Amino acid sequence: MKILGIETAVDETAAAVVEDGFKVCSSVVSSQTAIHQKFGGVVPELAARTHLAKIIPTLDQALKRAGVSLEKIDVIAVSTTPGFLISLLVGIEVAKTLGYVFQKPIVALNDLESHAFANWLESPGLFQKIQDYLAWPMLYLIVSGGTTALFKADYFGHFNLLGETKDDACGEAFDKVAKMLGLPYPGGPIISKMANYGRADAFKFPRPLIRVKGCDFSFSGLKTAVFYEIQKLQREKNNLDDQTISDISASFQEAAIESVVFKTVQAAKDYKVKSIAIGGGVAANSRLRELLLQQSLVPVFFPKFVYCTDNAAMLAGCAYYYAQRKIFTHWSKVEPFVYKNGKGRICRL
Ligand code: KG4
């Protein structure tokens, strides 16, 4: 079964063709990093306009690389939450139009579930284990620029939120600390690179909510502590030298990653899961990988680096489970999930 995935939730315009849930025939990601870099974060209006310009060429390329025409596609998968409403709408309208014109069934997906399913793309052994129900119940840790959350998943389509960040997302904190240090956006990759040259114990930054029971996270207090430390150092030294920037990067990274790992390992014990699946841009962080593998008592899955940040292959892979059971959404009913009072519909039960 060949599934075409379409992703425009935030600032990546992406399309992919995946066969039978794990064979990636093509995955094209058109990143907008260069456009948003000068603002230090994603500007929704600009993101949506860029999606409009890029979505058709991106789709075209994904189909060409996979060597299939739209007629030969069995199912269309599209992300419908979470993300920027005006960004999501671009992908959704394209999926609806293709679904209507080519009479293809559509799977409307939650990006967060798809991030977890990125783990078995191109990994036939793991894919089989997942199909055979050997790794469930599973804990999903989704850590990205917009989300830091833990879910308990009984199987595809059945996942419940255990806790999430009360303020900034983990990736967002990396981006903001990078900005404070005069480093470019996105901050995660550059902070973790600088951290390799610094001492993680050079500065004592807080590990927020680590003593509080439950699965919630918080990063704004940590971010503020880094901000005050930078201000103090700037008063003393004027400009921060490279070694100080590396030390702050390493100390901040250690604090952020330790709190994520602590909460995740605790949740895995409390909820007696058989495995942990990580997803989202911060899943690319090598310290997170190292610490979690050291501390977890159950197997931990990390996606290949290319499938950590937003991409369409993860959607096309995840949609396979729905398509196998004919769980489709009619094109006229595919719409972004509505957010009320800052809370979204994040569980599909
Ligand atoms: O999943 P993603 O594309 O996020 C959303 O669109 O929400 O991931 C992007 C986020 C950014 O905040 C970026 O700084 C962070 O992932 N990130 C990292 C690393 N690589 C990307 N954070 C920490 N360490 C990394 N190596």
Side-chain angles (χ1 to χ4, degrees):
M1 183 190 298
K2 283 198 169 77
I3 303 187
L4 171 68
I6 300 173
E7 163 76 304
T8 61
V10 186
D11 63 334
E12 263 96 23
T13 318
V17 177
V18 174
E19 197 173 348
D20 297 340
F22 71 98
K23 277 180 250 162
V24 181
C25 308
S26 68
S27 177
V28 181
V29 181
S30 172
S31 170
Q32 302 181 11
T33 301
I35 294 169
H36 301 285
Q37 212 155 35
K38 59 175 173 282
F39 303 101
V42 181
V43 182
E45 170 82 17
L46 265 179
R49 284 175 185 274
T50 313
H51 286 314
L52 271 180
K54 290 190 169 177
I55 188 67
I56 304 292
T58 305
L59 262 175
D60 209 37
Q61 227 180 331
L63 291 166
K64 275 198 187 118
R65 282 192 200 170
V68 281
S69 63
L70 271 165
E71 286 81 2
K72 291 272 176 332
I73 291 291
D74 299 297
V75 173
I76 295 170
V78 66
S79 152
T80 56
T81 194
F84 298 131
L85 183 68
I86 51 175
S87 286
L88 285 163
L89 280 171
V90 176
I92 289 173
E93 287 309 312
V94 169
K96 287 168 79 159
T97 309
L98 295 179
Y100 175 73
V101 172
F102 290 91
Q103 290 292 296
K104 303 290 177 190
I106 299 176
V107 178
L109 283 168
N110 183 318
D111 236 20
L112 304 184
E113 181 179 33
S114 307
H115 269 299
F117 278 59
N119 278 289
W120 25 104
L121 287 175
E122 297 182 62
S123 302
L126 183 53
F127 176 79
Q128 197 51 51
K129 211 170 160 186
I130 301 302
Q131 290 278 85
D132 294 345
Y133 206 83
L134 293 177
W136 310 81
M138 196 182 290
L139 187 71
Y140 298 164
L141 166 67
I142 310 299
V143 255
S144 71
T147 309
T148 303
L150 281 166
F151 299 88
K152 184 185 173 209
D154 293 320
Y155 199 39
F156 89 95
H158 294 265
F159 56 107
N160 277 310
L161 181 69
L162 301 177
E164 61 186 330
T165 181
K166 293 286 143 207
D167 36 63
D168 291 350
C170 186
E172 189 182 358
F174 272 85
D175 295 337
K176 288 180 177 167
V177 167
K179 200 173 173 187
M180 291 174 205
L181 291 169
L183 301 171
Y185 172 86
I190 184 83
I191 291 260
S192 61
K193 202 165 160 196
M194 297 298 288
N196 290 332
Y197 303 99
R199 284 195 303 122
D201 59 357
F203 298 94
K204 284 263 160 295
F205 292 133
R207 273 69 172 150
L209 295 190
I210 218 157
R211 282 179 224 293
V212 178
K213 260 185 150 337
C215 299
D216 288 334
F217 302 91
S218 165
F219 297 96
S220 74
L222 167 60
K223 187 189 66 187
T224 309
V226 176
F227 175 72
Y228 284 130
E229 190 62 50
I230 293 174
Q231 278 203 326
K232 191 177 119 216
L233 291 167
Q234 276 169 339
R235 274 197 303 273
E236 288 164 5
K237 304 191 183 178
N238 236 338
N239 279 334
L240 302 186
D241 55 42
D242 282 355
Q243 190 53 53
T244 311
I245 293 179
S246 300
D247 286 343
I248 294 176
S249 299
S251 304
F252 158 74
Q253 174 176 269
E254 197 65 11
I257 297 300
E258 257 187 29
S259 22
V260 170
V261 170
F262 180 86
K263 291 280 177 178
T264 306
V265 171
Q266 194 56 47
K269 283 184 203 151
D270 291 348
Y271 290 91
K272 299 182 177 52
V273 295
K274 285 202 194 130
S275 63
I276 303 174
I278 320 294
V282 186
N285 186 281
S286 36
R287 185 64 184 142
L288 172 65
R289 290 174 179 236
E290 184 183 48
L291 215 56
L292 208 44
L293 287 169
Q294 262 172 25
Q295 297 190 6
S296 176
L297 301 175
V298 294
V300 183
F301 309 131
F302 287 97
K304 292 190 167 42
F305 284 105
V306 281
Y307 303 125
C308 287
T309 45
D310 285 346
N311 65 87
M314 65 183 193
L315 292 162
C318 185
Y320 178 70
Y321 293 79
Y322 290 88
Q324 270 182 321
R325 290 152 184 90
K326 304 207 181 313
I327 305 173
F328 300 120
T329 305
H330 188 261
W331 68 265
S332 65
K333 300 229 161 46
V334 182
E335 54 185 41
F337 291 160
V338 182
Y339 279 68
K340 282 184 191 144
N341 308 324
K343 286 276 169 204
R345 182 177 150 201
I346 34 187
C347 303
R348 180 199 292 269
L349 290 169

